[in-house]
Amino acid sequence: MNMALDKPYKDVPGTTIFDAEQSRKGYWLNQFCMSLMKAENRARFKADERAYLDEWPMTEEQKQAVLARDLNRCIALGGNIYFLAKIGATDGKSFQQMAGSMTGMTEEEYRNMMIHGGRSPDGNRYTREWEDR
Amino acid sequence: MNMALDKPYKDVPGTTIFDAEQSRKGYWLNQFCMSLMKAENRARFKADERAYLDEWPMTEEQKQAVLARDLNRCIALGGNIYFLAKIGATDGKSFQQMAGSMTGMTEEEYRNMMIHGGRSPDGNRYTREWEDR
Amino acid sequence: MMARITASVYTSHVPAIGAAIDLGKTAEPYWQPVFAGYEKSKQWMRDNTPDVIFLVYNDHATAFSLEMIPTFAIGCAAEFQPADEGWGPRPVPKVIGHPELASHIAQSVIQDDFDLTIVNKMDVDHGLTVPLSLMCGQPAAWPCPVIPFAVNVVQYPVPSGRRCFMLGQAIRKAIASFDAPLKVQIWGTGGMSHQLQGPRAGLINQEFDNAFLDQLIADPAALSNKPHIDYVREAGSEGIELVMWLIARGAMADVNGAGAKPTVRHRFYHVPASNTAVGHLILENN
Amino acid sequence: MMARITASVYTSHVPAIGAAIDLGKTAEPYWQPVFAGYEKSKQWMRDNTPDVIFLVYNDHATAFSLEMIPTFAIGCAAEFQPADEGWGPRPVPKVIGHPELASHIAQSVIQDDFDLTIVNKMDVDHGLTVPLSLMCGQPAAWPCPVIPFAVNVVQYPVPSGRRCFMLGQAIRKAIASFDAPLKVQIWGTGGMSHQLQGPRAGLINQEFDNAFLDQLIADPAALSNKPHIDYVREAGSEGIELVMWLIARGAMADVNGAGAKPTVRHRFYHVPASNTAVGHLILENN
Ligand SMILES: [Fe+3]
Ligand SMILES: [Fe+3]
């Protein structure tokens, strides 16, 4: 079934807006992430990631994306960055390391880009600007 | 501190509106009632009411009102009928028995009043109508 | 073809009615007149089964404790379990939701400045299941998916009648923009006059109730301006539940410049069911 | 004498700033320029300590999971604990609430047709505690009670800028009707431009941010009409947090016919803090 509501944010490149549709898709993935806010669950997850994931009604694709720490894939499968950040916290990663990991840059490249003023909006506003590349 | 907002419902006789002020006053009383939605807690409460009540940061007055099943007193102390109904459910009482118990009527008198059309609004709209009696 | 609202249904949702059904007491002299009033409604439901019911009700300190009290909460989950309200869960089917339509409505009405709470996990109490039992009897499964929409009428301030009526209008617009040919009914539940607390418990106001039914049919926009205090004083402290009927009524064609007055398919009123006056209406869009 | 709003404060609430404070890194070359920008603010707070802070922020999947997502939630509890966001709770004082004023505001703005969720139990995350640390340093106790006001900016649709601005106006009215001589500050937090997700992560738009600050001071009513898509496209997907600043701005005297333009007591802007542009304003009512 299609929604007739406007989704003007579909044409922003490299960006997934966490709307109701994404939220439905990622419900259990995100709820799994929430569970990592308890120290006890973080320990259980670290001890056997696959076994812990299998306690959740997530899709196999979602589980694989978590195991691979592929955050872009997690987002495509309905994950939201604030939820996914709990995985990073469990791994001892900072928000900057997590954000950088999605850009195809090395950690140092990303850090340097931020120190020099971040990614410019120029050329990064519309999907067509990325397709032209 | 006083609130400057209108509370026109203060002049309805025999009636306590569950507003923010009542809700603050009755917070733990009502949360105790909510706990009785679990069969396990109902059993523990029945086994030793006083001990179960002492697990909650309620006032002594609130605890006494619960022990006495004095619903009018419970309401004066911040209780709300939908929460207090969990006590009645634990005791195996119906909503009609609970409501009737607050009116000063016997169970039969209250039931008969309801069968004959309930309490008339006439003479029951303003506190002054009750004071004149 | 887009989704559309075909009819609205209004009914009280007294817990004792649920108990009477579940315990097989519907033929008893006390209860027989209540259930007789819904015989026609059950036939109408069989003849007019919708694809989805948008069911406006209130939670009675069941899913929502005092920890979190949403003014308006929309259930977007795939299913909802009947709650244990203290007497054990009602022996009724689980409620199947409609996540796509529910999320669509949430998205649309939030953009229309209604500050909903989205709920993805919630048990549903008698406020939702008793109307389903009254309208559908005791089937093995409810006849269609249901979107639960919970309104705070427990802790004051509850939303105004006017706010509820305008919300109904926004819900209509949201449903009409959903790209699937669904027939949707909107139900408003709770009321009529009753008071469950204090020395004034047992208040019933038949004159108020019948005037409310008349005006709900004829001039709901004017009715929506009735202040809270009038409900409390005239219809009892729990009579305030009637504001929820204005959400369903606000979603009808005639008050959105989209049709003539609705047809009154059924009207019923009876006193008492336990502490409460029972009122019921079925309005079909024209 | 009634309560009144004396000033509004605006600031980003980046988690890495909290970590830098908690780990004693504020003098490091990377962080020094950020904290230098708040030195004046800390002095101002000491000189202008309010009786209550009404703190608008967003929860970052901490207190609210996907089970329940309130658009607007007001914290009415007596206290709120700093949350464990996955790195352990921040070593900061617990937050003392102001239940009387919070409940009063809830009552008033719900009657003004804002459909709040009332919250009586909630842990507070970096969105609330980092602004307190920036403005107050590392005291043994926060200088005054705080009313947490959480806005959904995580799951779309988030409330519009216009809705936020109007809510600020309603909050002002509510505070002005509270019968106690309290000096209240209202803080809007989050932003400025940043994007934490996807191949476009790291987006910063200094031009947008500075124009936003200019317009927030000079013409917030016009700014409030900026559509969501402009924030997302120009300021990054998480730049949408800036709509929360409009709540604080809407509560100022000048946009409520109650005074002249506010005095800009302090303005600061710096890039970067971790992934984010840091913006900060202090506006005093006239
Ligand atoms: Fe009810
Ligand atoms: Fe944030």
Side-chain angles (χ1 to χ4, degrees):
Chain A
M1 266 169 274
N2 280 319
M3 305 219 173
L5 294 178
D6 261 4
K7 293 197 176 184
Y9 43 79
K10 289 284 186 194
D11 75 342
V12 180
T15 303
T16 305
I17 292 300
F18 187 67
D19 60 12
E21 200 178 337
Q22 287 299 108
S23 178
R24 261 206 320 286
K25 208 194 289 185
Y27 185 74
W28 287 114
L29 168 56
N30 290 315
Q31 293 297 82
F32 145 74
C33 292
M34 277 307 272
S35 77
L36 298 178
M37 288 180 67
K38 291 209 176 102
E40 172 202 334
N41 291 335
R42 291 195 286 270
R44 286 182 49 231
F45 174 65
K46 277 186 197 168
D48 186 342
E49 296 197 1
R50 179 76 217 194
Y52 189 82
L53 286 167
D54 283 342
E55 295 172 16
W56 296 85
M58 297 159 58
T59 65
E60 181 60 26
E61 260 188 306
Q62 290 173 329
K63 293 177 192 175
Q64 291 298 337
V66 171
L67 290 169
R69 301 295 191 272
D70 183 343
L71 295 185
N72 279 325
R73 190 91 201 104
C74 285
I75 286 174
L77 298 170
N80 168 276
I81 187 59
Y82 291 122
F83 290 84
L84 297 171
K86 319 298 180 198
I87 304 174
T90 303
D91 291 339
K93 301 251 186 224
S94 72
F95 244 111
Q96 188 170 69
Q97 289 169 314
M98 285 185 267
S101 81
M102 289 178 267
T103 60
M105 303 167 89
T106 66
E107 204 178 308
E108 205 192 331
E109 284 167 352
Y110 183 82
R111 189 179 158 89
N112 281 335
M113 175 180 78
M114 293 316 300
I115 288 174
H116 292 95
R119 185 185 307 280
S120 168
D122 295 338
N124 294 313
R125 289 185 172 92
Y126 293 91
T127 44
R128 63 168 185 273
E129 294 177 301
W130 282 26
E131 284 151 11
D132 290 351
R133 279 184 193 172
Chain B
M1 266 168 275
N2 281 319
M3 305 219 172
L5 293 178
D6 261 4
K7 292 196 176 183
Y9 42 79
K10 289 284 187 193
D11 75 343
V12 180
T15 303
T16 305
I17 292 301
F18 188 68
D19 59 13
E21 200 179 336
Q22 288 297 109
S23 178
R24 261 207 319 287
K25 208 194 290 184
Y27 186 73
W28 288 113
L29 168 57
N30 290 315
Q31 293 297 83
F32 144 74
C33 291
M34 277 307 272
S35 77
L36 299 178
M37 288 180 67
K38 291 208 176 106
E40 173 201 333
N41 291 337
R42 291 195 287 269
R44 286 182 50 231
F45 174 65
K46 277 186 197 169
D48 187 340
E49 297 197 0
R50 179 76 217 193
Y52 189 83
L53 286 168
D54 283 342
E55 294 171 17
W56 296 85
M58 296 159 58
T59 65
E60 180 60 26
E61 259 188 307
Q62 290 173 328
K63 292 179 192 174
Q64 291 298 338
V66 170
L67 290 169
R69 300 297 191 271
D70 183 343
L71 296 185
N72 279 324
R73 191 90 202 105
C74 285
I75 287 173
L77 298 170
N80 169 274
I81 186 59
Y82 291 122
F83 290 84
L84 298 172
K86 320 298 182 198
I87 304 174
T90 302
D91 291 339
K93 302 252 186 224
S94 72
F95 243 111
Q96 188 170 68
Q97 288 169 315
M98 285 185 266
S101 82
M102 289 179 268
T103 60
M105 304 167 89
T106 66
E107 204 179 308
E108 206 192 331
E109 283 166 352
Y110 183 81
R111 189 180 157 89
N112 281 335
M113 176 181 78
M114 294 316 300
I115 289 174
H116 292 94
R119 185 186 308 279
S120 168
D122 295 338
N124 294 313
R125 289 185 173 93
Y126 294 91
T127 43
R128 62 167 186 274
E129 294 177 302
W130 282 27
E131 284 153 9
D132 293 349
R133 280 184 191 171
Chain C
M1 225 180 107
M2 311 301 266
R4 70 186 196 284
I5 292 175
T6 53
S8 53
V9 173
Y10 309 82
T11 180
S12 308
H13 60 207
V14 187
I17 293 178
I21 295 171
D22 300 342
L23 301 173
K25 295 183 176 176
T26 55
E28 288 185 4
Y30 183 92
W31 288 111
Q32 194 277 333
V34 173
F35 292 101
Y38 287 85
E39 277 311 311
K40 188 170 170 183
S41 313
K42 282 190 267 192
Q43 186 57 50
W44 177 84
M45 271 302 279
R46 280 187 293 268
D47 297 340
N48 297 277
T49 308
D51 297 308
V52 187
I53 297 166
F54 188 93
L55 204 159
V56 180
Y57 74 110
N58 67 293
D59 181 79
H60 302 78
T62 304
F64 306 131
S65 73
L66 292 183
E67 283 187 13
M68 232 172 133
I69 308 164
T71 294
F72 296 126
I74 186 165
C76 293
E79 55 182 67
F80 306 90
Q81 299 296 333
D84 179 353
E85 299 178 55
W87 291 267
R90 288 194 64 208
V92 293
K94 70 180 175 191
V95 172
I96 305 298
H98 199 303
E100 294 81 11
L101 179 58
S103 299
H104 172 90
I105 294 170
Q107 183 159 347
S108 176
V109 305
I110 290 173
Q111 287 179 338
D112 270 352
D113 286 351
F114 291 87
D115 316 311
L116 304 191
T117 292
I118 291 168
V119 181
N120 284 308
K121 192 179 174 205
M122 176 166 70
D123 288 348
V124 286
D125 74 8
H126 72 269
L128 183 131
T129 62
V130 165
L132 285 171
S133 296
L134 280 169
M135 296 297 293
C136 310
Q138 297 178 285
W142 300 122
C144 69
V146 175
I147 298 173
F149 191 91
V151 177
N152 168 43
V153 292
V154 171
Q155 180 174 322
Y156 275 66
V158 312
S160 69
R162 190 79 202 150
R163 184 74 177 155
C164 288
F165 187 71
M166 288 166 57
L167 173 58
Q169 295 177 311
I171 290 168
R172 177 187 179 82
K173 189 177 132 193
I175 289 172
S177 70
F178 188 72
D179 193 7
L182 301 176
K183 285 176 291 179
V184 181
Q185 287 179 8
I186 183 165
W187 295 12
T189 74
M192 302 201 78
S193 60
H194 64 307
Q195 174 152 341
L196 301 176
Q197 52 120 346
R200 203 175 74 135
L203 189 102
I204 296 285
N205 190 337
Q206 304 205 15
E207 204 178 314
F208 176 95
D209 288 341
N210 282 291
F212 184 92
L213 293 170
D214 291 343
Q215 199 176 11
L216 188 76
I217 297 166
D219 191 2
L223 179 61
S224 75
N225 292 319
K226 187 187 286 296
H228 286 156
I229 183 63
D230 289 12
Y231 290 93
V232 172
R233 200 185 303 286
E234 295 293 330
S237 49
E238 279 63 57
I240 193 70
E241 289 186 342
L242 285 168
V243 294
M244 294 186 288
W245 294 31
L246 289 162
I247 297 177
R249 188 62 181 91
M252 295 294 283
D254 62 320
V255 292
N256 290 277
K261 286 271 167 229
T263 299
V264 181
R265 187 58 58 203
H266 187 43
R267 176 172 174 162
F268 173 64
Y269 184 73
H270 174 81
V271 174
S274 182
N275 306 286
T276 307
V278 175
H280 174 41
L281 275 180
I282 299 176
L283 303 184
E284 285 178 0
N285 263 329
N286 284 312
Chain D
M1 225 181 109
M2 311 301 267
R4 70 185 196 285
I5 292 175
T6 52
S8 53
V9 173
Y10 309 81
T11 179
S12 308
H13 60 206
V14 186
I17 293 179
I21 295 170
D22 300 341
L23 301 173
K25 295 182 177 177
T26 56
E28 289 185 3
Y30 183 92
W31 288 110
Q32 195 277 333
V34 174
F35 292 100
Y38 287 84
E39 278 310 311
K40 186 170 170 185
S41 313
K42 281 190 269 193
Q43 186 57 50
W44 178 84
M45 270 303 278
R46 281 187 293 268
D47 298 339
N48 298 276
T49 309
D51 297 307
V52 187
I53 297 166
F54 188 93
L55 204 159
V56 180
Y57 75 110
N58 68 292
D59 181 78
H60 302 78
T62 304
F64 306 131
S65 73
L66 292 183
E67 283 188 12
M68 232 170 135
I69 307 163
T71 295
F72 295 126
I74 185 164
C76 294
E79 55 181 66
F80 306 89
Q81 298 296 332
D84 180 353
E85 299 178 55
W87 291 267
R90 289 193 62 210
V92 293
K94 70 180 175 192
V95 172
I96 305 298
H98 198 303
E100 294 79 12
L101 179 58
S103 299
H104 173 89
I105 294 170
Q107 182 158 347
S108 176
V109 305
I110 291 172
Q111 287 179 337
D112 270 351
D113 286 351
F114 291 86
D115 316 312
L116 305 191
T117 292
I118 291 167
V119 180
N120 284 307
K121 193 180 171 204
M122 177 166 70
D123 288 349
V124 287
D125 74 9
H126 71 269
L128 183 131
T129 61
V130 166
L132 284 172
S133 296
L134 280 168
M135 296 297 292
C136 310
Q138 297 179 284
W142 301 121
C144 68
V146 174
I147 298 173
F149 190 91
V151 178
N152 168 42
V153 291
V154 172
Q155 180 175 320
Y156 275 66
V158 313
S160 69
R162 188 80 201 148
R163 184 74 178 155
C164 288
F165 188 70
M166 288 166 57
L167 173 58
Q169 296 177 311
I171 290 168
R172 178 187 177 82
K173 188 177 134 195
I175 289 172
S177 70
F178 189 71
D179 193 9
L182 301 176
K183 285 176 290 178
V184 181
Q185 287 180 8
I186 182 165
W187 294 13
T189 75
M192 300 200 80
S193 59
H194 65 305
Q195 174 152 342
L196 301 177
Q197 51 119 349
R200 203 175 73 136
L203 188 101
I204 297 284
N205 190 335
Q206 305 204 16
E207 204 178 316
F208 176 95
D209 288 341
N210 282 291
F212 184 93
L213 293 170
D214 290 343
Q215 200 175 9
L216 188 76
I217 297 166
D219 191 2
L223 179 61
S224 76
N225 292 319
K226 188 187 287 293
H228 286 156
I229 182 64
D230 289 12
Y231 290 93
V232 173
R233 199 184 305 286
E234 296 293 331
S237 48
E238 280 63 56
I240 192 71
E241 289 185 342
L242 284 168
V243 294
M244 294 185 289
W245 295 32
L246 290 161
I247 297 177
R249 188 65 180 89
M252 294 296 282
D254 63 319
V255 292
N256 290 277
K261 287 271 166 227
T263 299
V264 181
R265 186 58 57 204
H266 187 44
R267 177 173 173 161
F268 173 65
Y269 184 74
H270 174 80
V271 174
S274 182
N275 305 286
T276 306
V278 175
H280 174 42
L281 276 180
I282 299 177
L283 303 185
E284 284 178 1
N285 263 329
N286 284 312

Short mmCIF file of all heavy atoms in Angstrom, two decimals, chain B residues 82, chain C residues 13 58 60 126 241, ligand 1:
data_model
loop_
_atom_site.label_atom_id
_atom_site.label_comp_id
_atom_site.label_asym_id
_atom_site.label_seq_id
_atom_site.Cartn_x
_atom_site.Cartn_y
_atom_site.Cartn_z
N TYR B 82 -10.27 4.84 38.95
CA TYR B 82 -9.84 3.77 38.03
C TYR B 82 -8.64 3.02 38.59
O TYR B 82 -8.45 1.84 38.31
CB TYR B 82 -9.54 4.32 36.65
CG TYR B 82 -10.78 4.79 35.94
CD1 TYR B 82 -10.90 6.10 35.50
CD2 TYR B 82 -11.84 3.93 35.73
CE1 TYR B 82 -12.05 6.54 34.87
CE2 TYR B 82 -13.00 4.36 35.10
CZ TYR B 82 -13.09 5.67 34.67
OH TYR B 82 -14.23 6.09 34.04
N HIS C 13 -19.12 2.01 27.04
CA HIS C 13 -18.22 0.84 27.09
C HIS C 13 -18.07 0.30 28.53
O HIS C 13 -16.97 -0.01 28.96
CB HIS C 13 -16.87 1.16 26.45
CG HIS C 13 -16.10 2.29 27.08
ND1 HIS C 13 -15.19 3.05 26.40
CD2 HIS C 13 -16.10 2.77 28.35
CE1 HIS C 13 -14.67 3.96 27.22
NE2 HIS C 13 -15.19 3.80 28.40
N ASN C 58 -10.94 5.37 25.85
CA ASN C 58 -9.94 5.77 26.82
C ASN C 58 -9.46 4.57 27.61
O ASN C 58 -10.21 3.63 27.87
CB ASN C 58 -10.46 6.84 27.78
CG ASN C 58 -11.55 6.31 28.69
OD1 ASN C 58 -12.64 5.99 28.22
ND2 ASN C 58 -11.28 6.23 29.97
N HIS C 60 -8.30 2.99 31.08
CA HIS C 60 -8.75 3.22 32.46
C HIS C 60 -7.66 2.76 33.43
O HIS C 60 -7.83 1.77 34.14
CB HIS C 60 -10.04 2.45 32.72
CG HIS C 60 -11.17 2.79 31.80
ND1 HIS C 60 -11.25 2.31 30.51
CD2 HIS C 60 -12.26 3.59 31.96
CE1 HIS C 60 -12.35 2.78 29.93
NE2 HIS C 60 -12.98 3.56 30.78
N HIS C 126 -11.25 -2.71 28.68
CA HIS C 126 -12.67 -2.81 28.34
C HIS C 126 -13.15 -1.63 27.49
O HIS C 126 -14.12 -1.76 26.76
CB HIS C 126 -13.52 -2.93 29.62
CG HIS C 126 -13.59 -1.66 30.41
ND1 HIS C 126 -12.71 -1.34 31.42
CD2 HIS C 126 -14.44 -0.60 30.32
CE1 HIS C 126 -13.02 -0.15 31.92
NE2 HIS C 126 -14.06 0.32 31.27
N GLU C 241 -16.27 11.38 29.49
CA GLU C 241 -15.88 10.48 28.41
C GLU C 241 -16.57 10.83 27.09
O GLU C 241 -16.08 10.50 26.01
CB GLU C 241 -16.19 9.02 28.77
CG GLU C 241 -15.30 8.45 29.86
CD GLU C 241 -15.54 6.96 30.10
OE1 GLU C 241 -16.61 6.44 29.69
OE2 GLU C 241 -14.67 6.31 30.69
FE FE E 1 -14.87 4.39 30.38
#
